[in-house]
Amino acid sequence: MNEQKLKVAISEFVNKKKSNAAYYEENWAERKERKEYYQSFTKDRLLAMTEEEFLEYISKLWSMLIWGNKKYVVDKMIADNGFGTLKKQLAELLYGTSPIEKRWDVFLKSIKGMGPATISELLTYANPKEYVIFNKTTILCYGYLDIPDMPKYNYQYTGKKYAEVCAIAKEIAEQLKKAGAEDYDLLAVDYFMWDEILPFAEKKTSDIPATTGVKKAVTANDSKSLHDEIKEKLVAIGELLGFDSRSEVKIATGAVVDAVWEAKIGNMGKAIYVFEVQSKGSIDSLILNLKKAQSNAAVQAVVAVANEEQLAKIIRESAGVIDEKSLRTWDSEDVLAVYDSLVRVHESINKLALVPESF
């Protein structure tokens, strides 16, 4: 960690707190209120929650700001996991006695629809002395502080990495205490990073020129995880854009595709956009699936998603097999960037509360 950068940031933070106390007190009060709300729950109370109570519990999270219709998201969590299983796994994550590395990994492997940002936020509220929020903001801020080996993809957000991130946050908390003579927990560390470090981290990121040349190869062990992550992001992008978006959909006889975006056109029918993801290996099955998908009259376009090298092969080998007019290609790195940008846009707009939750 770059101690000098941290020292300068802490000094600025402390000075701003003194010169604009009302602003910082208001922001910290909001965080304190959230912490008190979530700490009012016990393991037994969580397990006894109704679906309505669970909706309120999840809807209050910052990680849910991207969704205008939070009930839709929560209902999908319950449908995908089963309400009893969802509560049981969540209770074990938050109140279990196993090491956090194990609880983290077990939860992410067992439960759909709740990722690292959501579960780390809940952990932070439940025990802010031990756990910090682990999301894109954390990664950007740690990067600015020259902390190495931060994850790029979701499958790299492991329990082991989370424990490392929390240990670093505790070091930052100690430095904040020394500078401000206050008892800073890891929720306060998140506030410090969000308020003071993030603007510099975002500027640093925007100043980095786009990379050229061959991207780092994906290993065989990571290939399936990356494939699944891109597929999940495609579904999420579709949902954020207002489509009926699903994964693993049978689109034609013998063709189950990675993702579809579907839009109903009144009572006339529907328009479907099909996505197939390629992360490594043979592209024959991808080309065959896209060709079969084109036999569905509702399919408006088929999209191959892969890295630059794979896309070049797909374009070359699909010539004369897939109707070129309806074939699109999308760089997988761009998919991840678009998802991140859409999340930021929806978070910002939803903070305005332009549409009531009950609408």
Side-chain angles (χ1 to χ4, degrees):
M1 180 160 50
N2 189 314
E3 298 290 344
Q4 182 58 31
K5 284 185 178 179
L6 178 61
K7 183 178 179 181
V8 170
I10 289 176
S11 177
E12 288 293 316
F13 184 68
V14 171
N15 289 337
K16 288 177 182 177
K17 279 188 67 179
K18 292 177 180 177
S19 62
N20 194 359
Y23 167 80
Y24 286 91
E25 287 173 6
E26 179 181 349
N27 278 273
W28 180 243
E30 194 262 349
R31 284 163 172 76
K32 184 179 179 182
E33 182 180 336
R34 286 173 176 270
K35 182 165 61 174
E36 290 172 350
Y37 169 78
Y38 285 98
Q39 288 184 353
S40 71
F41 286 85
T42 62
K43 182 176 182 179
D44 289 340
R45 185 183 173 194
L46 191 155
L47 290 170
M49 275 196 293
T50 65
E51 291 188 9
E52 291 74 18
E53 290 169 332
F54 186 71
L55 172 60
E56 180 185 13
Y57 183 84
I58 296 297
S59 295
K60 288 180 176 288
L61 296 171
W62 285 318
S63 64
M64 291 292 289
L65 275 173
I66 65 172
W67 302 109
N69 186 348
K70 296 177 177 60
K71 188 176 187 304
Y72 168 81
V73 179
V74 172
D75 285 348
K76 192 171 187 301
M77 281 184 201
I78 293 172
D80 287 344
N81 300 291
F83 193 38
T85 299
L86 180 55
K87 290 192 293 183
K88 181 180 178 182
Q89 291 290 346
L90 188 56
E92 180 59 29
L93 171 74
L94 299 179
Y95 307 108
T97 57
S98 299
I100 186 57
E101 294 95 324
K102 181 178 180 181
R103 286 184 280 140
W104 178 279
D105 288 339
V106 167
F107 187 89
L108 287 181
K109 288 176 182 176
S110 304
I111 298 299
K112 296 179 180 179
M114 296 179 73
T118 297
I119 68 173
S120 64
E121 187 177 348
L122 287 170
L123 282 163
T124 304
Y125 294 141
N127 190 350
K129 294 290 184 182
E130 291 295 322
Y131 306 124
V132 73
I133 294 175
F134 191 22
N135 56 18
K136 292 291 183 181
T137 295
T138 316
I139 300 304
L140 281 172
C141 292
Y142 277 24
Y144 175 77
L145 294 173
D146 299 329
I147 297 167
D149 301 323
M150 287 296 105
K152 178 178 181 180
Y153 302 112
N154 273 2
Y155 70 84
Q156 296 169 328
Y157 284 69
T158 63
K160 180 180 178 182
K161 182 58 66 176
Y162 183 57
E164 294 174 8
V165 166
C166 290
I168 294 167
K170 290 175 185 176
E171 294 178 21
I172 296 173
E174 285 300 318
Q175 295 301 317
L176 282 165
K177 290 175 190 176
K178 290 178 182 178
E182 296 181 41
D183 185 17
Y184 272 88
D185 60 20
L186 303 194
L187 183 59
V189 169
D190 178 80
Y191 176 33
F192 158 69
M193 292 194 297
W194 176 84
D195 192 85
E196 189 59 43
I197 296 182
L198 183 60
F200 294 103
E202 290 179 325
K203 183 177 186 302
K204 177 184 175 183
T205 301
S206 66
D207 288 343
I208 298 174
T211 56
T212 57
V214 179
K215 292 184 173 67
K216 184 179 179 181
V218 178
T219 67
N221 290 336
D222 292 341
S223 180
K224 184 179 185 304
S225 297
L226 180 57
H227 178 280
D228 291 345
E229 178 172 346
I230 295 170
K231 182 170 63 177
E232 290 169 3
K233 292 294 192 291
L234 286 168
V235 172
I237 290 169
E239 290 173 337
L240 289 168
L241 292 175
F243 289 97
D244 177 8
S245 185
R246 293 166 287 146
S247 63
E248 298 298 322
V249 177
K250 183 177 180 180
I251 198 70
T253 302
V256 176
V257 295
D258 285 326
V260 299
W261 295 354
E262 184 176 309
K264 292 182 180 178
I265 306 173
N267 58 4
M268 296 172 58
K270 55 190 174 183
I272 299 175
Y273 304 91
V274 170
F275 300 84
E276 275 283 278
V277 180
Q278 182 72 15
S279 56
K280 199 174 181 68
S282 172
I283 64 174
D284 292 345
S285 62
L286 177 143
I287 293 174
L288 182 59
N289 262 3
L290 293 182
K291 178 177 173 58
K292 289 180 177 179
Q294 288 183 326
S295 67
N296 185 324
V299 173
Q300 304 300 302
V302 293
V303 185
V305 182
N307 62 29
E308 291 178 1
E309 181 181 356
Q310 292 276 0
L311 287 177
K313 290 173 62 178
I314 290 167
I315 292 170
R316 184 171 62 250
E317 295 185 25
S318 66
V321 180
I322 299 176
D323 180 7
E324 296 181 11
K325 292 181 179 179
S326 64
L327 175 64
R328 309 287 191 273
T329 58
W330 198 355
D331 191 300
S332 52
E333 291 293 323
D334 195 31
V335 171
L336 300 176
V338 166
Y339 171 78
D340 288 341
S341 297
L342 271 176
V343 166
R344 295 295 296 274
V345 168
H346 280 259
E347 284 177 346
S348 182
I349 292 173
N350 290 334
K351 283 179 182 177
L352 301 175
L354 300 178
V355 180
E357 277 289 315
S358 59
F359 182 76

